[in-house]
Amino acid sequence: MRFIEEIVVDEFLPTFRSMLAEELRGRGFTQREVAEALGISQSAVSKYAHGEVSRNEAFLEDDRVRELVERIAEGLSTGDMTPVQALVEAEVLVRRLEEGDLLATLHEEAMPALAEYDGALSVHDPDSTLRTAERVRSSVRRGLRTLTNASGFAGLIPNVGSNLVECLSDADGIDDVAGVPGRIFDVKGQATVPGDPEFGVSEHVANVLLSARGAGRDVRAAVNVRYDPDVVESLEAAGYDAIEFDPDAPEDPIAAALSGRDDLSDTFVVYQTGAYGIEAITYVLGPDAPSVARAVRSLLSE
């Protein structure tokens, strides 16, 4: 794990300061004056002057960095710019380079996992797509631990496998839904999760969740387990509303079953008892992955 601030400290600052020291020396500043202007020691200035500091070519060749160095050097040498203003101007450039720009690119090279997030990325934005998506994946992991740590969960997995999914708050397609790649299967009595949660890997359970959201239900997570009358009865006894739907309905069966049901609890159940070529399945839907996982776990604590 490497922070973008480390790239700023380790690569940008030495390059930027050495460029600025070079410019100031070229304008007649003494080594002591350069040190005072940059807020560093004279020995550090000496290292810059003698090429003893590693410099990043990407910053050396960037026109914006070069323009700012020249502008700050000119301002400091004429007295038109104070060190405080110089600092502010440099900070503005750093933030600009972090927002899907040069620093962001270098950060992505240091942390290749960041490459999966499309578009401009701000690691400092509390509402960034990156942070939101990672929180959803983390929520799914917590839910998975609840399920896989519960003795007997493997016995609730249907033949088609289970999946636990959670979506982004503004989800409008399966690419906005995180789930288990390949589904959860019962392998010799053990619930097996084949991989870390990813977006866009669940179609079946994700579409059930999206259908419920399309019907106006404020839910963000879902999990499927096998159907059994006792399973549904136990969930209802635990306080979860349960609604049957017809998998052969001509329109969206989930939306049709939920139409007009404004009395449902935050976490509820929809189920179908099977049809020709369709396995009977129970779905638990709720506000997040841990919530629906706890509902399933309640079946195993009786």
Side-chain angles (χ1 to χ4, degrees), residues 153-154 157-162 181-194:
F153 170 64
I157 298 175
N159 293 329
V160 295
S162 289
R183 303 187 186 180
I184 309 166
F185 286 100
D186 174 6
V187 179
K188 297 181 178 180
Q190 181 68 41
T192 301
V193 180

Side-chain angles (χ1 to χ4, degrees), residues 11-280:
E11 299 184 41
F12 175 79
L13 285 180
T15 304
F16 182 77
R17 281 173 169 162
S18 68
M19 293 170 69
L20 188 51
E22 190 175 75
E23 281 288 330
L24 291 172
R25 289 287 281 169
R27 295 172 189 271
F29 275 51
T30 66
Q31 186 168 292
R32 179 180 61 79
E33 289 171 333
V34 171
E36 290 177 353
L38 300 185
I40 58 178
S41 67
Q42 290 191 50
S43 62
V45 175
S46 177
K47 289 181 180 180
Y48 290 146
H50 291 89
E52 298 176 13
V53 175
S54 176
R55 306 206 297 184
N56 187 303
E57 288 294 328
F59 298 122
L60 286 171
E61 298 173 0
D62 190 275
D63 290 339
R64 295 160 300 180
V65 176
R66 297 182 64 84
E67 186 277 331
L68 181 60
V69 166
E70 293 173 3
R71 183 154 55 89
I72 290 177
E74 175 67 18
L76 292 175
S77 63
T78 61
D80 291 340
M81 184 181 293
T82 65
V84 170
Q85 183 183 353
L87 172 65
V88 171
E89 294 293 335
E91 288 278 10
V92 168
L93 177 60
V94 167
R95 296 296 167 259
R96 178 182 177 186
L97 297 179
E98 287 177 343
E99 301 293 326
D101 209 308
L102 182 54
L103 275 167
T105 299
L106 294 174
H107 191 208
E108 186 176 296
E109 292 174 0
M111 290 286 295
L114 293 171
E116 69 181 83
Y117 298 95
D118 298 329
L121 170 66
S122 171
V123 295
H124 294 124
D125 181 3
D127 299 317
S128 69
T129 300
L130 169 62
R131 190 183 192 205
T132 302
E134 285 303 309
R135 285 187 166 188
V136 168
R137 293 176 68 190
S138 178
S139 182
V140 174
R141 292 188 194 102
R142 292 196 301 274
L144 287 171
R145 284 198 299 273
T146 296
L147 292 176
T148 56
N149 289 340
S151 176
F153 170 64
L156 291 174
I157 298 175
N159 293 329
V160 295
S162 289
N163 212 328
L164 174 65
V165 304
E166 183 171 324
C167 68
L168 300 174
S169 60
D170 57 351
D172 59 9
I174 62 174
D175 286 341
D176 298 322
V177 184
V180 176
R183 303 187 186 180
I184 309 166
F185 286 100
D186 174 6
V187 179
K188 297 181 178 180
Q190 181 68 41
T192 301
V193 180
D196 199 43
E198 298 177 19
F199 281 87
V201 297
S202 170
E203 183 172 349
H204 180 65
V205 181
N207 277 325
V208 169
L209 174 61
L210 293 170
S211 291
R213 289 172 58 82
R217 304 313 309 171
D218 186 19
V219 288
R220 290 184 55 183
V223 62
N224 67 314
V225 295
R226 66 178 176 81
Y227 167 76
D228 185 283
D230 290 340
V231 167
V232 174
E233 183 179 336
S234 295
L235 287 167
E236 289 182 305
Y240 302 109
D241 294 314
I243 304 98
E244 183 176 0
F245 69 93
D246 180 3
D248 288 328
E251 303 297 333
D252 185 331
I254 301 295
L258 295 178
S259 177
R261 292 301 304 267
D262 297 329
D263 58 332
L264 297 179
S265 51
D266 290 341
T267 301
F268 60 90
V269 177
V270 294
Y271 66 95
Q272 50 91 357
T273 58
Y276 181 75
I278 301 176
E279 183 181 6

